[in-house]
């Protein structure tokens, strides 16, 4: 093992890598297993934040096939960084040094790359058999202290935990594409995930500028579960002729999306009032589809208990003792910031118009 059993984990930002046999660079603390789109995106995120990361390809390949994969992955990584440079978030001169932090590793060289890995991301194809093979391999080569994660978007953490030698050091980690741009990373834990492991994982993500959110072993995590409903409903509206794709997209970008960028979805329920959602759900369930629009039991219960949100002092959040005027001003500031960013806020007209 790279560390003695029971050795304390290094502080966030401090390398645990061992110097290689040639006395040069330490081995990467982070390893992405699976050299596809997601693995490359994660690699860019860590490299951008200054970390070396190994990008491991588990498939045995001929030298020719390996050269093709290396060229393709390198071109995609550098292309993504050049794209960021064109947006002004980094300099062109920084592209090559950042890309160089990503080490592409063949399967026969991967055990050495894993020797010092603190956090490992499994990103092989979305089949249970592929996951089983990957974790069988990781079980043999990862050190006991490594935190193992799966970037699966469809397989529950409870299913995968059984494949891991140390399930208490395992959780699912769902990145949103592009992984190097979107800050939210969804962490799905099972009942046996160690609380310290979760805290360490969150700290490592926060250290590279990510915003981890935690959910249980639920299908679709948080974001995909919500966005699937919105996207399906938008497609139905086009199908029904309710509005064109262009009008729906204008409404979602600068109405729905802008508001939910300023207020979280559940916060929005409380801000407007749970009773508003209750009445709107009842109306649309009667006129559109009772299965899709019926309010859940929790909303019915909250209306019955008069826990309507901000206006009654209690809803999904508690508002007792809170400075509500300051809170409303903060919400207004958040909303105006989104409008200004979108170029949609106009200053007042000085002259009275006819």
């Amino acid at each position: 093992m790279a560390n003695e059993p029971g050795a304390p984990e290094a502080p966030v930002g401090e390398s645990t890598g061992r110097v290689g046999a040639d006395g040069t660079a330490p081995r990467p603390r982070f390893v992405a297993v699976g050299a596809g789109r997601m693995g490359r995106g994660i690699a860019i995120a860590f490299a951008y934040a200054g970390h070396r990361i190994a990008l491991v390809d588990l498939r045995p390949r001929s030298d020719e096939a390996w050269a093709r994969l290396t060229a393709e992955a390198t071109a995609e990584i550098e292309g993504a960084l050049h794209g960021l440079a064109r947006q002004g978030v980094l300099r062109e001169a920084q592209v090559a040094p950042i890309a160089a932090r990503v080490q592409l590793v063949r399967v026969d060289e991967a055990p050495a790359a894993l020797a010092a890995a603190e956090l490992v991301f499994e990103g092989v194809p979305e089949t249970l058999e592929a996951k089983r093979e990957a974790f069988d391999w990781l079980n043999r080569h990862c050190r006991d202290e490594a935190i193992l994660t799966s970037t699966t978007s469809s397989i529950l953490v409870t299913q995968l935990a059984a494949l891991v030698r140390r399930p208490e050091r395992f959780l699912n980690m769902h990145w949103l594409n592009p992984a190097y741009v979107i800050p939210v990373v969804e962490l799905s834990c099972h009942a046996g995930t160690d609380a310290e492991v979760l805290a360490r994982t969150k700290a490592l993500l926060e250290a590279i500028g990510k915003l981890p959110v935690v959910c249980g072993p639920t299908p679709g995590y948080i974001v995909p579960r919500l966005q699937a409903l919105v996207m399906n409903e938008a497609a139905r509206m086009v199908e029904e002729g309710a509005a064109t794709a262009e009008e729906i997209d204008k409404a979602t970008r600068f109405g729905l999306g802008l508001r939910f960028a300023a207020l979280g979805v559940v916060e929005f329920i409380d801000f407007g009032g749970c009773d508003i959602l209750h009445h709107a759900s009842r109306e649309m369930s009667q006129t559109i589809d009772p299965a899709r629009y019926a309010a859940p039991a929790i909303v019915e219960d909250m209306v019955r208990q008069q826990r309507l949100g901000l206006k009654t002092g209690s809803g999904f959040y508690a508002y007792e003792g809170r400075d509500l005027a300051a809170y409303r001003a903060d919400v207004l500031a958040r909303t105006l910031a989104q409008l200004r960013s979108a170029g949609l806020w106009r200053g007042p007209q000085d002259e009275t118009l006819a």
Side-chain angles (χ1 to χ4, degrees):
M1 297 299 170
N3 281 358
E4 292 299 318
E9 296 183 87
V12 174
E14 182 175 311
S15 177
T16 62
R18 294 289 192 255
V19 175
D22 59 359
T24 57
R27 295 169 183 166
R29 297 167 57 202
F30 309 103
V31 176
V33 176
R37 176 70 49 90
M38 182 52 67
R40 297 170 193 178
I42 292 171
I44 294 169
F46 277 88
Y48 183 90
H51 295 285
R52 296 182 184 88
I53 180 169
L55 184 57
V56 174
D57 175 47
L58 286 186
R59 296 181 182 177
R61 298 178 189 267
S62 66
D63 290 344
E64 183 180 351
W66 173 249
R68 284 198 302 270
L69 176 67
T70 300
E72 175 191 294
T74 301
E76 182 174 334
I77 291 167
E78 291 180 349
L81 292 169
H82 282 300
L84 292 177
R86 286 192 290 273
Q87 295 300 319
V89 297
L90 62 102
R91 301 187 307 277
E92 285 287 348
Q94 293 175 294
V95 169
I98 293 172
R101 294 173 187 149
V102 181
Q103 177 188 1
L104 284 152
V105 179
R106 299 178 76 156
V107 63
D108 55 343
E109 300 169 349
L114 284 167
E118 177 178 356
L119 186 57
V120 179
F121 313 95
E122 170 275 310
V124 301
E126 290 285 278
T127 69
L128 199 54
E129 185 55 36
K131 306 293 186 188
R132 182 178 290 106
E133 291 179 4
F135 281 116
D136 180 63
W137 184 83
L138 289 171
N139 287 336
R140 295 196 305 272
H141 297 295
C142 287
R143 64 193 183 110
D144 285 348
E145 294 78 16
I147 298 171
L148 300 189
T149 71
S150 176
T151 64
T152 179
S153 60
S154 60
I155 304 176
L156 293 179
V157 64
T158 46
Q159 291 177 273
L160 295 177
L163 308 180
V164 178
R165 179 165 54 86
R166 295 196 64 186
E168 73 277 9
R169 302 189 70 80
F170 174 75
L171 62 152
N172 277 4
M173 182 182 286
H174 181 244
W175 298 67
L176 304 175
N177 273 316
Y180 56 90
V181 172
I182 306 300
V184 165
V185 181
E186 299 178 297
L187 307 181
S188 178
C189 302
H190 60 96
T193 302
D194 189 292
E196 292 184 6
V197 167
L198 175 60
R200 177 66 176 173
T201 304
K202 290 172 66 177
L204 288 168
L205 290 171
E206 288 165 352
I208 68 163
K210 294 302 178 181
L211 186 65
V213 297
V214 181
C215 65
T218 181
Y221 300 90
I222 298 170
V223 174
R225 185 166 169 176
L226 289 171
Q227 70 184 13
L229 292 174
V230 173
M231 291 189 294
N232 280 330
E233 198 60 30
R236 287 191 187 97
M237 292 173 73
V238 174
E239 182 179 63
E240 295 167 0
T244 65
E246 291 78 12
E247 294 301 298
I248 292 170
D249 283 346
K250 189 189 302 180
T252 51
R253 284 187 65 194
F254 305 116
L256 181 75
L258 189 144
R259 290 196 299 184
F260 285 146
L263 280 155
V265 176
V266 180
E267 184 185 13
F268 189 82
I269 298 173
D270 272 5
F271 196 82
C274 197
D275 53 330
I276 302 299
L277 174 61
H278 176 264
H279 296 317
S281 299
R282 182 176 59 189
E283 176 66 23
M284 286 189 285
S285 67
Q286 292 173 351
T287 57
I288 301 177
D289 188 314
R292 295 208 310 273
Y293 286 97
I298 189 173
V299 170
E300 303 282 354
D301 291 343
M302 289 172 69
V303 170
R304 188 164 47 251
Q305 297 166 23
Q306 285 297 288
R307 292 173 50 216
L308 305 181
L310 197 60
K311 57 190 172 187
T312 61
S314 176
F316 284 96
Y317 293 91
Y319 299 94
E320 293 84 353
R322 190 166 181 178
D323 186 338
L324 297 185
Y327 171 64
R328 290 182 185 278
D330 180 55
V331 170
L332 176 60
R334 287 185 249 163
T335 305
L336 289 173
Q338 294 297 323
L339 285 164
R340 291 190 185 105
S341 177
L344 293 174
W345 183 256
R346 295 184 180 183
Q349 176 60 252
D350 290 329
E351 298 179 5
T352 302
L353 303 177

